[in-house]
Amino acid sequence: MKQEQIVVTPSVVRKMVTNGIVVGMNDDFVIARQLKRSGTSQLSYPFRIESYIVIYCFEGTVTCSVNLNEYTLTRRMMLIVTPGNIVKVSSDTADNREECFTIINVTVEFFKDIGFDPSEVIIEATQLLQSPCMTLAAEEETLLGEHIDLICDLLTSGTKYMRESIISVMLSVFYLFAGFMHKSHAAEIQQAPVSSSRQRAMFEKFMK
C-alpha cells in the first residue's frame, strides 16, 4: 500500500522539527534556524510542498532530494524549491562535523495576500540555473543573515505595524534570493565556453 505523502505547510514544519529556533507568523511562513540532525529526522521522509521552501547550510553537510534528484549542500550552499515538488532533507551521517542549517517555508497564499507574484522573480530565476542549488559569497550570507535576524526581531517587537514591517523585509529576502540566483547564473555562463557569436551576443545582452 502506497504511503500518502505529507503536504508540508509552515505549521507542519513547526511539528516536524524538535530543535533549533523556530519562529513564524500564523501559517503564513516559518523560519527554523540552527537545526541539527537529532531534531529533524521527520524531514528525511518524502513530503510534498505547495509552498516555497528554502534550505540553507551553515555547517556540515545536508542532503536534499527534490523529485528523487539528490543535492548535497555544504557550507554556504542554498537550495530553493518551488511549489508542487516532493522533497526530503537528511544529514550526512558519514560527515563527522555537526551540521547546522536553516529552513524557510512561505505559503503561496501569503504572497497572494500581499499582491506579490513570485513567478516573476523566483520561478524565472530558478529556471535559469542548471541546478536549484547555489553557493553564497560571504557578504551574501551576511546580508541574508541580517534580514532574517530583522524578521525574528520584528516578530517579538509587538509594534503596531509589525505585520507590515515583516512583509516588507520578507519581500526583500525573496528579491535577494532572485538576485543571488541571477548572479549564480551569470557565473555559470562565464565558466561555460562560448562556442558561437550568437551565444556570445546573448551572454552580453544578459550581462547589461
Side-chain angles (χ1 to χ4, degrees), residues 11-82:
S11 59
V12 173
V13 171
R14 286 175 178 269
K15 295 175 182 177
M16 293 176 76
V17 299
T18 58
N19 62 16
I21 301 170
V22 183
V23 298
M25 189 166 66
N26 302 320
D27 207 26
D28 292 330
F29 70 83
V30 66
I31 300 172
R33 311 172 77 183
Q34 298 180 18
L35 298 177
K36 307 289 185 182
R37 180 182 306 149
S38 59
T40 57
S41 59
Q42 291 188 62
L43 297 173
S44 64
Y45 299 97
F47 55 88
R48 183 162 58 90
I49 59 166
E50 296 299 338
S51 51
Y52 292 86
I53 192 164
V54 180
I55 301 160
Y56 185 78
C57 179
F58 283 96
E59 297 291 345
T61 303
V62 180
T63 302
C64 303
S65 172
V66 182
N67 300 331
L68 301 180
N69 296 309
E70 281 203 351
Y71 304 96
T72 300
L73 306 185
T74 56
R75 177 84 172 90
R76 289 211 301 263
M77 286 188 70
M78 181 170 70
L79 170 72
I80 297 181
V81 188
T82 53

Side-chain angles (χ1 to χ4, degrees), residues 144-159:
L144 176 60
E146 290 172 348
H147 279 70
I148 299 303
D149 286 342
L150 180 54
I151 291 174
C152 295
D153 289 343
L154 286 167
L155 282 166
T156 58
S157 67
T159 59

Side-chain angles (χ1 to χ4, degrees), residues 189-200:
I189 293 175
Q190 287 179 322
Q191 292 169 5
V194 180
S195 58
S196 70
S197 57
R198 182 173 179 272
Q199 287 178 324
R200 185 175 295 279

Side-chain angles (χ1 to χ4, degrees), residues 54-58 73-80 102 104 129 132-148 173-185 187:
V54 180
I55 301 160
Y56 185 78
C57 179
F58 283 96
L73 306 185
T74 56
R75 177 84 172 90
R76 289 211 301 263
M77 286 188 70
M78 181 170 70
L79 170 72
I80 297 181
T102 289
I104 302 172
L129 297 175
C133 301
M134 75 194 82
T135 301
L136 300 190
E139 61 271 18
E140 292 172 333
E141 179 184 56
T142 299
L143 185 60
L144 176 60
E146 290 172 348
H147 279 70
I148 299 303
V173 166
F174 272 78
Y175 276 114
L176 278 176
F177 290 155
F180 295 158
M181 285 186 279
H182 278 279
K183 185 177 178 181
S184 181
H185 177 57

Side-chain angles (χ1 to χ4, degrees), residues 92-152:
D92 187 350
T93 55
D95 189 340
N96 292 325
R97 293 172 300 172
E98 181 69 32
E99 76 289 331
C100 180
F101 62 100
T102 289
I103 290 178
I104 302 172
N105 182 218
V106 185
T107 64
V108 173
E109 290 72 22
F110 172 75
F111 286 130
K112 284 182 178 178
D113 288 346
I114 63 177
F116 175 65
D117 183 4
S119 65
E120 294 182 357
V121 289
I122 296 298
I123 295 178
E124 176 190 356
T126 54
Q127 290 171 346
L128 291 173
L129 297 175
Q130 296 176 5
S131 163
C133 301
M134 75 194 82
T135 301
L136 300 190
E139 61 271 18
E140 292 172 333
E141 179 184 56
T142 299
L143 185 60
L144 176 60
E146 290 172 348
H147 279 70
I148 299 303
D149 286 342
L150 180 54
I151 291 174
C152 295

